[in-house]
Amino acid sequence: MQYSLGIDAGGTFTDAVLIRDTDGVIVQKTKVITTYPDPLDGISRAIDELDKEYVRNVKLVSVSTTLSTNTILEDTGFPVAAILVGDYAIPQEGFPTPDYIMVNGGHTSNGEEAAPLDEEKVRTFALEVKDKVAAFAVSAFFSNRNSDHELRVKKIITELTGLPVVCGHELSQEVGAYDRAITAYLNAQLLPITHQFIQSILKDIRARGIDANLLMLKCDGSVVGMEEALERPIESIFSGPAASLVGASYLAKLDTCAMIDVGGTSTDVALIKNGVPELSEHGAIVGGWKTMVKAVRMETSATGGDSHVWISDHKFHVGPRRVIPLCRAAQQYPGFLKQLQEGKSPSKKILDENVQSTKYFVRTGFKPIGLTKSEEEIYDYILHTPVSYVDLFQKMKKQPSTYAIDNLIKKRLIQPIGFTPTDTLHVLGELQKWDTEASVAGAEKLAKLLQIDKEEFCRQVKRKVARNMAADLIAYLIEGIPADIVQRILSGENFTRFKVETPVVLLGGPVWAFKEEMEKLIDAQFIVPENAEVGNAAGALVGKGIKRVEILIKKHFAPITGEGVSNEELKEAKEVVEYFVFTPEGRKVFGDHVEAIAFATNIGKKIVMDYMIGAGYCNNEVEITVTRKDMVITEGEMPMESKIIVLGVGTSRIVMDKNCIPDYMRKKAFSFSKALDGSYSGR
């Protein structure tokens, strides 16, 4: 019997599922705390908890991870130099690295050379920075129409330095040279990290006797082989929400559905139609940088199971920050329950997010660097056992700076502990995973401030979380609707109610606890499928192979020079119509629109099929659809521009056609040998 292993390393938990290949049934699942900042230890622990006999028979491993996202958000990527070919306008926020230059060159929108490439300046710069960077990024004006200058720069750098080079046209064919430059830069930052991550996973599964292929989930919900994952790690940002969406569709057995995924830190809402995730019209934004990476369109809010519930101004707030739930902290830190129960409460007048009767702080494993005097003073009193604001006040003999405490949290030097929606469910008896006594103690302290009992307080928190989830769903489905209108309708005081036609799948740990509340707020079919708590790990595994190719056809008027035509003809016609076809493989010119369309369609299909076959699919496993969008200026005339969009969708790797296995296994053997001997660098 053969099995497939799906792994999702999320912000709070790392989940793993084993699926039987013959029928797609989940035979085993596990959930462990994510190890931060390196998720590899958590992934290894998740696999350790699975049945070893099943694991030995795994033939496919697929992973989704927050590694790329966190690396960009925390600015911990490898140093990269960038070469911008053309007259770039750098925005006020600047380019993400000081090691960049602009050189003459680039092309026009028709793919013609705008200026000669300054190769000497490229050589000088490459030699200046080669010893302090790990890779180069190159972006040229209209390289999506003609990639010649980017490729020439890449050749020069490779010959001079031997370092990896990422070109903008390799990642996107969209217009926008600066955004392509940012995308290439971020991708180059991630190359060494991703290589190390994938190599470590491969070594781990090989050490367990697993002979399997490794796939990774992209942020558009598709899976890719290891070679592409190494070359384009930027495409794995936000793969977590994509995994959840694909997993929701798989677990609920629905090709079309909306999804609400409640995680520890946030709630994500997304939609899948006919088995293909709905994508954002704009590139994914990560760490404030706009990229050209196609990602699942999603609505995300800072409400999750670990969101901090706190009191100020005689009302409670949920989030936006994440804390360790009281119930979990009581199991993690001996003596914490008694400390919580007997701890003194701060004055009501000074309550804020960090000054709470249920808020505690504990050191992380990060090394402090560049602390202010105030931060250093507070940090010295926060050790590896929890302390509250009142504890700090008593130890320091003065009022601690909440600003300094906040900075220590932002610098990840201390981890906050507090009351959460997870604690709420423990108090209400709807979840019994950790120490309920700690949750009850926290609820009593907070409820007392509002002069209500602990059960009523927890019911109000639960309703607030459900309403936030409902608002996220409506905001996603009806873009542009004002938030106050959504809240008024959800309140139910105006004899109106939202109705959602498509089924809504709920994913996450104890998400079933919110189903009844959601049904009161919105008229929809809410589904909590079996194994909903590990839907993201299932999604990491069952994501389909998806390849999109967009090819632009542009009408062009070329002047007639008179060569080969009579004077009479010149009087009648001053120009001739041509059609430029811009493909990832270069520019082609046609004199006939029909021929241009046919060429674009055929080359698009070829690129898609070559990709899918390279990813291990057979011809009969891939469904290709072609759509065409025309821009017409005058009715009845040929379009000024046409865009051919070719979409290839492969079947899930689970329950594979056995006739495909020989080619697939040969591909796998190549992947392993390249990765494990360290010879593959993602260049």
Side-chain angles (χ1 to χ4, degrees):
M1 190 74 69
Q2 293 185 4
Y3 301 91
S4 295
L5 172 61
I7 301 168
D8 176 74
T12 305
F13 292 104
T14 292
D15 301 337
V17 297
L18 277 168
I19 295 182
R20 189 165 53 219
D21 288 355
T22 53
D23 55 12
V25 171
I26 294 177
V27 296
Q28 200 174 9
K29 59 192 175 186
T30 185
K31 183 184 288 283
V32 302
I33 299 294
T34 294
T35 51
Y36 183 84
D38 185 357
L40 284 166
D41 188 42
I43 289 173
S44 183
R45 274 191 249 163
I47 301 174
D48 286 340
E49 293 191 9
L50 297 171
D51 186 286
K52 290 181 173 54
E53 188 59 36
Y54 287 150
V55 170
R56 274 194 291 270
N57 289 300
V58 164
K59 298 300 177 186
L60 177 68
V61 178
S62 188
V63 180
S64 71
T65 175
T66 59
L67 181 65
S68 293
T69 309
N70 290 341
T71 299
I72 295 171
L73 291 176
E74 296 162 22
D75 193 21
T76 54
F78 276 63
V80 170
I83 297 175
L84 311 181
V85 184
D87 188 17
Y88 280 72
I90 305 299
Q92 187 175 359
E93 64 268 19
F95 199 74
T97 176
D99 293 318
Y100 78 92
I101 58 164
M102 290 187 288
V103 302
N104 288 335
H107 292 79
T108 68
S109 61
N110 289 330
E112 297 162 350
E113 188 175 74
L117 175 65
D118 189 343
E119 295 188 2
E120 191 55 39
K121 192 173 181 179
V122 171
R123 291 189 182 92
T124 301
F125 177 73
L127 292 173
E128 285 176 355
V129 301
K130 69 181 181 68
D131 292 329
K132 62 176 182 175
V133 300
F136 285 82
V138 182
S139 179
F141 264 29
F142 285 109
S143 62
N144 59 321
R145 304 290 169 82
N146 190 326
S147 59
D148 177 59
H149 284 188
E150 283 190 356
L151 292 174
R152 281 163 60 186
V153 171
K154 182 175 185 175
K155 184 173 185 292
I156 291 169
I157 295 173
T158 302
E159 290 175 349
L160 288 177
T161 71
L163 293 172
V165 182
V166 177
C167 293
H169 80 275
E170 297 169 339
L171 300 171
S172 175
Q173 288 292 303
E174 296 289 334
V175 174
Y178 185 75
D179 291 341
R180 278 199 309 277
I182 294 294
T183 307
Y185 168 79
L186 295 176
N187 192 79
Q189 269 198 323
L190 297 168
L191 288 177
I193 295 169
T194 304
H195 185 212
Q196 181 183 9
F197 176 73
I198 290 177
Q199 191 176 38
S200 297
I201 290 180
L202 287 172
K203 286 181 178 178
D204 183 275
I205 63 178
R206 283 294 288 271
R208 299 172 189 271
I210 301 174
D211 183 20
N213 187 35
L214 178 66
L215 302 178
M216 292 194 74
L217 194 79
K218 292 166 56 180
C219 54
D220 64 357
S222 65
V223 291
V224 295
M226 193 185 62
E227 283 82 1
E228 183 164 353
L230 285 165
E231 291 173 352
R232 301 185 176 193
I234 187 69
E235 294 183 346
S236 69
I237 58 173
F238 304 137
S239 63
S244 297
L245 180 58
V246 175
S249 173
Y250 177 77
L251 294 177
K253 298 178 173 57
L254 294 169
D255 281 341
T256 299
C257 63
M259 172 218 68
I260 300 177
D261 178 26
V262 183
T265 307
S266 62
T267 293
D268 299 322
V269 179
L271 181 71
I272 190 167
K273 295 180 182 178
N274 300 318
V276 178
E278 183 175 354
L279 300 185
S280 172
E281 293 181 3
H282 311 288
I285 298 175
V286 57
W289 300 108
K290 184 179 182 299
T291 73
M292 285 192 161
V293 177
K294 294 290 186 183
V296 168
R297 184 173 80 86
M298 61 182 176
E299 183 80 18
T300 300
S301 67
T303 300
D306 293 349
S307 293
H308 185 207
V309 179
W310 51 288
I311 306 286
S312 73
D313 300 324
H314 307 290
K315 60 184 178 181
F316 72 85
H317 310 268
V318 180
R321 286 188 176 171
R322 170 181 172 264
V323 296
I324 299 174
L326 298 176
C327 54
R328 205 164 80 220
Q331 289 193 351
Q332 190 171 346
Y333 300 103
F336 176 68
L337 174 59
K338 184 178 180 181
Q339 184 181 2
L340 173 65
Q341 292 170 331
E342 299 178 357
K344 294 181 179 180
S345 298
S347 169
K348 294 180 182 179
K349 296 178 182 180
I350 62 170
L351 292 180
D352 67 11
E353 188 176 2
N354 287 319
V355 183
Q356 297 285 308
S357 58
T358 54
K359 188 75 174 280
Y360 289 77
F361 311 97
V362 66
R363 277 194 186 187
T364 66
F366 283 84
K367 184 178 180 181
I369 298 175
L371 297 184
T372 65
K373 183 179 179 181
S374 179
E375 291 167 0
E376 187 174 2
E377 187 177 16
I378 292 173
Y379 184 71
D380 286 341
Y381 285 104
I382 299 177
L383 302 176
H384 296 289
T385 55
V387 296
S388 68
Y389 182 86
V390 174
D391 294 333
L392 288 172
F393 183 87
Q394 293 174 340
K395 290 179 179 181
M396 295 173 64
K397 309 295 188 207
K398 65 178 181 179
Q399 191 167 318
S401 164
T402 56
Y403 178 78
I405 291 174
D406 208 55
N407 280 345
L408 289 172
I409 293 172
K410 289 178 180 178
K411 293 176 179 180
R412 307 195 181 198
L413 295 174
I414 62 174
Q415 171 70 53
I417 298 167
F419 192 83
T420 67
T422 298
D423 290 299
T424 294
L425 297 181
H426 277 75
V427 175
L428 296 175
E430 297 177 13
L431 184 64
Q432 295 179 337
K433 189 169 184 179
W434 291 293
D435 192 324
T436 300
E437 275 192 86
S439 298
V440 170
E444 287 175 343
K445 286 177 177 286
L446 296 177
K448 186 178 179 180
L449 292 170
L450 300 178
Q451 298 182 330
I452 56 178
D453 64 54
K454 62 180 181 294
E455 287 80 11
E456 176 57 25
F457 171 68
C458 289
R459 283 192 290 268
Q460 289 185 21
V461 171
K462 182 181 173 184
R463 283 196 293 270
K464 171 69 172 175
V465 173
R467 184 172 292 186
N468 287 352
M469 292 164 57
D472 292 341
L473 176 64
I474 298 305
Y476 179 91
L477 296 174
I478 313 174
E479 292 185 84
I481 185 170
D484 61 329
I485 299 296
V486 174
Q487 291 296 337
R488 282 176 56 191
I489 295 176
L490 289 175
S491 71
E493 297 175 359
N494 301 289
F495 304 102
T496 55
R497 193 180 182 201
F498 288 110
K499 180 178 177 63
V500 176
E501 296 292 345
T502 188
V504 182
V505 181
L506 303 180
L507 292 186
V511 72
W512 44 266
F514 297 96
K515 181 174 181 288
E516 185 177 347
E517 292 289 344
M518 293 290 290
E519 290 170 339
K520 294 176 184 176
L521 295 167
I522 298 176
D523 181 7
Q525 180 189 6
F526 289 98
I527 300 170
V528 181
E530 186 179 0
N531 301 307
E533 72 278 13
V534 290
N536 42 9
L541 188 57
V542 301
K544 298 177 180 178
I546 300 175
K547 179 65 175 178
R548 295 174 177 83
V549 173
E550 296 185 2
I551 297 177
L552 178 68
I553 301 163
K554 187 175 180 181
K555 192 175 185 179
H556 177 250
F557 298 96
I560 295 179
T561 61
E563 190 175 330
V565 296
S566 67
N567 287 336
E568 284 298 316
E569 289 173 320
L570 281 172
K571 290 177 184 178
E572 296 296 324
K574 300 292 184 183
E575 55 191 10
V576 64
V577 176
E578 297 176 333
Y579 295 94
F580 291 166
V581 181
F582 301 102
T583 79
E585 299 178 355
R587 186 186 75 168
K588 296 286 185 180
V589 182
F590 292 87
D592 180 77
H593 186 257
V594 174
E595 289 182 9
I597 292 290
F599 173 80
T601 302
N602 290 334
I603 196 70
K605 287 181 177 179
K606 179 181 182 300
I607 292 171
V608 166
M609 281 307 305
D610 287 348
Y611 172 90
M612 300 300 276
I613 289 172
Y617 289 91
C618 293
N619 289 339
N620 61 357
E621 289 185 310
V622 182
E623 180 181 343
I624 292 182
T625 57
V626 180
T627 56
R628 170 179 158 185
K629 295 180 180 180
D630 292 330
M631 185 182 78
V632 179
I633 303 298
T634 305
E635 189 174 349
E637 290 188 356
M638 285 294 184
M640 289 299 296
E641 287 188 2
S642 296
K643 184 177 284 187
I644 301 297
I645 304 166
V646 183
L647 174 67
V649 180
T651 57
S652 170
R653 300 313 312 175
I654 309 300
V655 198
M656 294 185 301
D657 180 350
K658 296 300 184 267
N659 292 326
C660 285
I661 286 180
D663 288 341
Y664 186 52
M665 298 300 278
R666 281 196 291 272
K667 171 88 173 167
K668 175 206 67 181
F670 171 78
S671 301
F672 268 117
S673 62
K674 287 288 186 183
L676 290 177
D677 68 11
S679 62
Y680 189 83
S681 62
R683 297 179 190 176

